[in-house]
Amino acid sequence: MLFTSFEFLGFILILFLAYYLIPKKYQWMLLLAASYFFYFMAGAYCLIYILVTTVTVYLLGRRIEDLRKEQSDYLKEHREKLGKEEKKAYKDGMKRRQWRTLLVGLFVNLGILAVVKYTNFAIYNVNLALHGFGSGKQFDFLDIALPMGISFYTFQALGYLIDVYRGTSKAERNPFRFALFVSFFPQLVQGPISRFQDLSGTLYREHSFDAKTVSFGLQRILWGFFKKLVIADRILVGVNEIVKNPESYGGAYVFAGMMFYALELYADFTGGIDITIGVAQVFGITVTENFNRPYFSRSIKEYWRRWHITMGTWFTDYIFYPISVCKPMLKFSKFSREHFGEAIGKRMPVYLSSFAVWFATGIWHGASWNFVVWGLGNWIVIMISQEFAPLYLKFHRKVNGMINRQRAGISDRMFVLENNSFYRLFQILRTIFLMSCLRSFDCYRDVPLTFRMFGSMFTGGNWHILWDGSLLGLGLDITDYVILAAGCGLLVLVSLIQRTGSVREKIAAKPYPVRFILWYGLFLIVLLMGAYGIGYDASQFIYNQF
């Protein structure tokens, strides 16, 4: 069921009525049944995968906690009999048993993800290598259906298992409650990747109908519909026309396509997350925010702290930190300090751990080389920025000093380049452009083609198409561009207002006529200006493929 389909709206309406009519102690059970029905509608075969993940992670999480309790009970019972070395040996042995249990969970569930998502990618590379060595042998690709949201629920479940192993989260004893955590339907499509200790706080709680909470949830859903239907699905027509016809659209068209895709991806992904958070809020459940005005970032590093936040924190907590402080990495760092100097030695753990994170981020987004190159491209830019940080600081100090000397005696106010509005705008536009360049690998899905099309921007010589009406030949007419421009203006306005607090809270404080006009007006905009009808296709959310 598409979030923007009538079937989904009908599903939510029926579930909403039942949720607040049944006894509250059964509410979470109803959500579990609804989640499995939602997943069943995506394909009955999908249930097998999510059940295997749920059962294995639940049992292994229980096993890890039972081992921890067994250790605690044993040490209490024998605390006066055991010496210091005996206690240490016993603890080390129990830790190894917990570690082996964790490895089983990682192996099984990452193995499932690897098989269904990366088998054909592996076959492609094997065939490529065989061809390169002159062999005529080629392996056939397998017809493996990718279950909906498998990357999201797998990472969410494994994050829980790792937290149980680390002792930062207690294992859930009720298997059905845990099944709801893994399968909670609003976040199956595109996340966010919730942590158990965060989501469980409201997921299993009994909820009474609260008009403000439900109203805020519906408002968030409406805002998501606006982003998806009015902006993302409309500009998708132009993106597809440019990307699917590279022989016809080179040069400045590539730049236009990059900018179009930046808007489409933002409106599509954040719109889907808005619907997810809004649906959860309608049922009184709090889901982690996944975006924080990312297009206001001044650097790519800052951008990734604001974009798909739960994914970034997952990779940081479960890949970056474990790799950077593991014993082999510490030994390698020591070796590097001794042989290559202090400066290089202290950087190696950061470089290698970041490389692992960005390689994993790329391959997580898709089983193809374009995503790997995209991920490593982010890594390169971020590492270069870190290395040049002292030069940036020196440049800023020099500019600040020069301008302040020139202004001496005119104003007592010190000039700081970083606080200058025009410089901040330059940094924001630079970040958007750099991210759009990197995303061109996502657009064209072919590494050599991407480089060729990117290079054509500097050799095409057709920049006049940006203002001579040529963009009207992309399947979008002047009305579409006016709607998109107005939509972008509204997105920017809302983002600016968000800097000082919740927009919904600010609107709620207004008189009823103002609230009615704003929300009913947005409803009419979605209804009248959404991308429907001939020439448009209600597309699946981009991140559903992951």
Side-chain angles (χ1 to χ4, degrees):
M1 282 184 284
L2 281 171
F3 273 6
T4 53
S5 67
F6 287 115
E7 291 85 354
F8 182 75
L9 294 178
F11 169 71
I12 292 298
L13 177 60
I14 295 171
L15 180 59
F16 172 78
L17 294 174
Y19 187 79
Y20 286 110
L21 288 175
I22 65 173
K24 296 181 181 64
K25 64 180 181 179
Y26 299 123
Q27 286 177 330
W28 71 267
M29 300 179 192
L30 177 63
L31 288 179
L32 175 61
S35 296
Y36 270 81
F37 173 76
F38 180 85
Y39 208 65
F40 174 80
M41 293 299 292
Y45 73 94
C46 294
L47 292 175
I48 299 173
Y49 294 100
I50 198 169
L51 279 171
V52 170
T53 294
T54 301
V55 171
T56 56
V57 173
Y58 168 76
L59 292 176
L60 294 171
R62 287 281 304 269
R63 175 60 177 164
I64 290 173
E65 190 155 282
D66 289 344
L67 286 172
R68 186 177 291 115
K69 185 178 185 304
E70 179 184 333
Q71 173 183 308
S72 177
D73 292 343
Y74 180 84
L75 291 176
K76 283 181 182 179
E77 184 180 349
H78 300 86
R79 58 186 172 185
E80 295 183 2
K81 300 178 181 178
L82 298 175
K84 185 177 180 181
E85 292 300 321
E86 291 174 312
K87 287 182 180 179
K88 183 177 182 305
Y90 177 76
K91 288 180 179 180
D92 290 343
M94 293 297 287
K95 193 67 176 178
R96 284 192 296 271
R97 292 173 67 184
Q98 293 175 46
W99 171 245
R100 286 194 293 267
T101 305
L102 173 63
L103 286 182
V104 171
L106 296 176
F107 177 79
V108 170
N109 290 283
L110 291 179
I112 293 172
L113 181 62
V115 168
V116 300
K117 193 170 181 178
Y118 303 107
T119 296
N120 285 333
F121 181 51
I123 293 173
Y124 166 79
N125 286 286
V126 169
N127 288 342
L128 201 64
L130 291 173
H131 179 74
F133 284 106
S135 173
K137 174 71 173 177
Q138 294 285 285
F139 294 97
D140 294 330
F141 291 108
L142 303 181
D143 185 17
I144 302 177
L146 186 64
M148 181 180 68
I150 186 171
S151 295
F152 289 105
Y153 73 69
T154 298
F155 274 34
Q156 182 160 303
L158 292 182
Y160 157 86
L161 186 62
I162 295 170
D163 286 342
V164 171
Y165 169 77
R166 291 175 173 176
T168 57
S169 180
K170 288 190 175 182
E172 172 58 54
R173 312 302 289 183
N174 187 319
F176 299 103
R177 284 160 63 102
F178 179 71
L180 175 59
F181 166 73
V182 176
S183 65
F184 185 47
F185 74 91
Q187 31 177 66
L188 277 177
V189 176
Q190 55 183 359
I193 304 172
S194 298
R195 304 294 176 91
F196 184 76
Q197 55 267 39
D198 296 330
L199 184 59
S200 62
T202 55
L203 185 61
Y204 310 124
R205 192 180 299 167
E206 296 180 357
H207 298 282
S208 299
F209 177 84
D210 181 77
K212 181 180 179 181
T213 299
V214 172
S215 175
F216 272 26
L218 293 174
Q219 291 165 15
R220 190 73 180 261
I221 293 171
L222 181 59
W223 182 236
F225 270 58
F226 167 77
K227 289 180 179 178
K228 172 64 173 172
L229 295 176
V230 177
I231 298 178
D233 283 358
R234 171 169 274 101
I235 202 167
L236 174 63
V237 175
V239 173
N240 284 340
E241 180 66 20
I242 293 173
V243 171
K244 293 182 179 180
N245 300 284
E247 67 283 350
S248 302
Y249 297 107
Y253 281 109
V254 178
F255 174 79
M258 284 164 39
M259 296 300 106
F260 285 1
Y261 185 67
L263 177 59
E264 183 215 341
L265 182 63
Y266 174 80
D268 187 285
F269 196 10
T270 63
I273 293 296
D274 286 330
I275 296 172
T276 292
I277 294 175
V279 169
Q281 190 170 14
V282 162
F283 298 107
I285 297 164
T286 302
V287 174
T288 307
E289 292 288 345
N290 215 24
F291 291 89
N292 180 21
R293 298 179 294 115
Y295 282 168
F296 283 81
S297 304
R298 302 193 201 183
S299 66
I300 289 185
K301 186 175 182 180
E302 180 186 353
Y303 171 89
W304 280 109
R305 290 199 299 267
R306 294 166 169 254
W307 177 280
H308 207 341
I309 298 170
T310 57
M311 182 198 71
T313 55
W314 198 98
F315 280 112
T316 299
D317 292 346
Y318 302 125
I319 295 182
F320 179 84
Y321 288 127
I323 292 178
S324 62
V325 298
C326 68
K327 289 183 179 179
M329 182 62 73
L330 294 177
K331 290 181 180 179
F332 181 69
S333 176
K334 182 180 179 181
F335 173 85
S336 300
R337 289 170 189 262
E338 293 173 352
H339 292 81
F340 306 113
E342 185 71 18
I344 293 179
K346 69 180 182 181
R347 286 173 168 81
M348 293 309 295
V350 176
Y351 288 165
L352 295 178
S353 301
S354 297
F355 177 88
V357 164
W358 284 108
F359 179 85
T361 302
I363 203 71
W364 180 85
H365 276 82
S368 59
W369 283 110
N370 63 289
F371 286 112
V372 174
V373 174
W374 167 82
L376 296 183
N378 279 276
W379 172 70
I380 291 170
V381 173
I382 292 173
M383 291 299 100
I384 291 175
S385 297
Q386 286 187 199
E387 287 303 311
F388 279 88
L391 292 179
Y392 298 152
L393 181 60
K394 186 176 180 180
F395 169 75
H396 290 168
R397 287 174 176 171
K398 189 172 183 178
V399 172
N400 293 339
M402 289 173 58
I403 295 178
N404 285 322
R405 284 194 297 272
Q406 291 176 1
R407 294 175 55 180
I410 300 176
S411 171
D412 293 332
R413 187 176 179 181
M414 297 293 290
F415 177 85
V416 180
L417 183 62
E418 295 91 325
N419 297 331
N420 181 268
S421 298
F422 291 104
Y423 185 68
R424 288 204 304 269
L425 179 60
F426 161 74
Q427 288 178 305
I428 290 169
L429 294 177
R430 178 191 62 188
T431 302
I432 293 174
F433 177 72
L434 286 173
M435 285 307 306
S436 297
C437 290
L438 289 169
R439 284 201 206 98
S440 59
F441 290 101
D442 188 9
C443 290
Y444 290 102
R445 304 291 175 100
D446 180 89
V447 176
L449 176 62
T450 301
F451 279 114
R452 188 166 72 250
M453 299 309 296
F454 183 78
S456 74
M457 284 198 300
F458 305 97
T459 60
N462 61 342
W463 289 93
H464 57 86
I465 62 100
L466 298 179
W467 58 80
D468 69 358
S470 297
L471 295 182
L472 294 175
L474 300 175
L476 300 171
D477 58 26
I478 190 65
T479 303
D480 290 315
Y481 284 110
V482 170
I483 293 173
L484 287 170
C488 288
L490 184 57
L491 290 179
V492 172
L493 177 62
V494 170
S495 294
L496 291 173
I497 296 174
Q498 277 181 327
R499 294 185 301 179
T500 56
S502 167
V503 176
R504 288 175 294 172
E505 289 285 0
K506 294 177 187 294
I507 294 176
K510 301 293 182 183
Y512 176 77
V514 176
R515 300 199 308 270
F516 177 82
I517 290 172
L518 288 174
W519 290 117
Y520 187 64
L522 184 61
F523 173 75
L524 288 179
I525 289 173
V526 173
L527 191 63
L528 300 176
M529 298 182 182
Y532 314 108
I534 298 173
Y536 294 98
D537 177 26
S539 62
Q540 183 60 275
F541 286 88
I542 293 175
Y543 265 71
N544 184 54
Q545 64 187 294
F546 306 133

